[in-house]
Amino acid sequence: MFRRISFAPDGSHVCGTNATLKGKNIAAMISREGWAASGPSPKKSSSQGDDDESHHHPPGAANLVGHKQPVVSSRHCPVFFTVPSSKRKRPPSAEEASSDSESDDNGGDGEPEYATLVALGDKRGFVTVWSTKSSRPLFKMQCSESRCAVTDISWGLVRSSKGDGDD
């Protein structure tokens, strides 16, 4: 069985294939920040408080669930996509907006303002495409009627013309 992993174009995480979690086939997005993966939530004992750190997963760590057969290949798109402001968790306050215009970075904290895409192929011929800013796949398609494994994936770039002759 093929197990093709893929690094994000910014190097922030790697997508590991052929993983399972609680009996479900997943692709594990493993954060380079401490090489942490998103796993099942730890059970709290009575001695533990409501410490938010026990639930914190580094940016990029996620379990991509949605394939009935093992995920055997993955490939990140080499292009970064801007996240529309309507997709962000909350609009910035006036103070945050003015401070963002003065400095371009978030001080190194938090998630980036861009998204990357990753395509996953499974043993039954299905491909899903995921965004790092969404918890569900963007789409799922069957690539092979004979249900053979998707052993490799490649991204292609399509250039478009405005029609005015300026390319």
Side-chain angles (χ1 to χ4, degrees), residues 8-13 59-60 76-84 88 104 106 110-117 131-134:
D10 62 355
S12 63
H13 57 275
H76 279 85
C77 180
V79 177
F80 295 104
F81 296 91
T82 304
V83 178
R88 293 180 185 150
D104 288 339
N106 287 340
E111 293 191 32
E113 294 297 320
Y114 58 84
T116 60
L117 301 179
S131 168
T132 54
K133 297 294 182 185
S134 177

Side-chain angles (χ1 to χ4, degrees), residues 7-141:
F7 270 95
D10 62 355
S12 63
H13 57 275
V14 63
C15 182
T17 59
N18 202 31
T20 60
L21 180 67
K22 296 183 181 180
K24 294 188 179 203
N25 295 299
I26 65 166
M29 297 292 276
I30 302 166
S31 174
R32 188 171 176 185
E33 184 181 307
W35 296 106
S38 179
S41 298
K43 297 199 191 264
K44 288 186 180 181
S45 67
S46 58
S47 64
Q48 289 178 327
D50 288 335
D51 186 10
D52 208 23
E53 289 298 312
S54 64
H55 295 13
H56 175 71
H57 299 293
N63 294 321
L64 306 179
V65 182
H67 288 265
K68 293 182 180 175
Q69 293 292 315
V71 176
V72 293
S73 60
S74 67
R75 181 72 56 142
H76 279 85
C77 180
V79 177
F80 295 104
F81 296 91
T82 304
V83 178
S85 59
S86 64
K87 296 283 186 184
R88 293 180 185 150
K89 291 180 182 167
R90 63 174 175 80
S93 67
E95 289 178 347
E96 290 173 336
S98 65
S99 67
D100 283 349
S101 62
E102 293 171 7
S103 69
D104 288 339
D105 64 292
N106 287 340
D109 294 341
E111 293 191 32
E113 294 297 320
Y114 58 84
T116 60
L117 301 179
V118 63
L120 305 175
D122 72 12
K123 196 173 169 183
R124 215 171 90 195
F126 283 91
V127 172
T128 55
V129 175
W130 300 75
S131 168
T132 54
K133 297 294 182 185
S134 177
S135 61
R136 295 184 170 259
L138 299 175
F139 67 88
K140 182 176 185 175
M141 66 181 182

Side-chain angles (χ1 to χ4, degrees), residues 160-167:
S160 65
S161 173
K162 297 177 189 174
D164 59 3
D166 294 334
D167 248 359

